[in-house]
Amino acid sequence: MVMSKSNENKKLFSCDDFLKKNRRGQVTIFIIIAIIIVAVGILIYSFYPQIKTSLGSTQQNPQSFIQSCIEKDITDAVSKISAQGGSIAPANFIVYNNSNVEFLCYINEYYKNCQVQQPMLKQHIESQIKNQIDKNVDACFASMKSSYEKQGYTIDLKTGEKRIELLPKRIVSTFDYSLTLTKGENVQKYNPFMIVLDNNLYELTAIANSILDWETTYGDAETTTYMTYYHDLKVESILRGNEGKVYVLTDRNTGNKFQFATRGQIWPAGYLIPTL
């Protein structure tokens, strides 16, 4: 059967019309979707704070807030103390690598062994860190209180004891503050607040105390003995003439250091040191 030319043209026209209408329909749909997306974006932007509040993500968790506020202060204090023999502001020190390194064992006489200057070294370091961060801790808790009050919370904040502890492979800072957040029927309580810093100052301090025992008894310490027993430890003894010497303890894995100075068994200039 042969289709007439007029019928063929009609069929072609109907297909073209259908395609054109389909394209217009698609464009219309895309325009409508674009308008909806823009409208939703405007709504989200306008009501974002309220949406965040309803989702419970408008603020950091109080523990996270305090940690982010104070952790760097603790790290900086530990770094400075470790470079200066355990004190923030050493009174009796030797300058080494631009640091005032405190004498932990010292005597201002010839021929004699030194005497320990910080018999409670671990406790001394803990108190030094605490004193260094004390004001910043209070400022951080005040800042957190203000932040929550601006978000409509009723705040009950009670201050408490601050403790710094050197423990195996870590330094733990505990703030025995009590915080209660209230908004409507929602009540949240937090106590205590803790920050744990990965640092082996505890172990390095123990090695330092052992070296000080050698210094007070024999006038010197054999550094290779420590490195034989502790393969991850590097112990350096840097002589500074009549000024004394600087011990540098380094953890080869972490790079953590503790350095301190000693002065004992000093001989007058020109004196021939006896040998066995």
Side-chain angles (χ1 to χ4, degrees), residues 4-20:
S4 67
K5 188 173 182 180
S6 60
N7 289 337
E8 184 177 355
N9 289 338
K10 286 180 181 179
K11 188 173 183 179
L12 290 173
F13 289 149
S14 62
C15 289
D16 289 342
D17 290 342
F18 173 78
L19 292 174
K20 288 178 182 179

Side-chain angles (χ1 to χ4, degrees), residues 265 267-268 270-275:
Q265 284 290 332
W267 305 89
Y271 187 90
L272 184 61
I273 300 175
T275 58

Side-chain angles (χ1 to χ4, degrees), residues 142-194:
S143 176
M144 181 180 68
K145 181 175 182 291
S146 174
S147 175
Y148 277 99
E149 285 175 338
K150 290 177 181 177
Q151 297 165 38
Y153 284 89
T154 299
I155 312 298
D156 182 16
L157 177 63
K158 294 182 175 63
T159 61
E161 182 185 2
K162 308 179 186 81
R163 297 190 305 278
I164 307 295
E165 296 176 282
L166 301 188
L167 298 174
K169 297 184 179 180
R170 65 195 189 279
I171 299 174
V172 178
S173 303
T174 304
F175 311 111
D176 197 17
Y177 284 50
S178 178
L179 173 69
T180 302
L181 301 177
T182 305
K183 180 184 281 190
E185 297 181 356
N186 182 21
V187 179
Q188 305 171 47
K189 294 184 178 182
Y190 300 88
N191 171 267
F193 293 82
M194 297 180 67

Side-chain angles (χ1 to χ4, degrees), residues 22 61 113 149 192 217 222 240 255:
N22 190 38
N61 176 281
N113 295 343
E149 285 175 338
T217 305
E222 179 52 61
R240 301 297 297 269

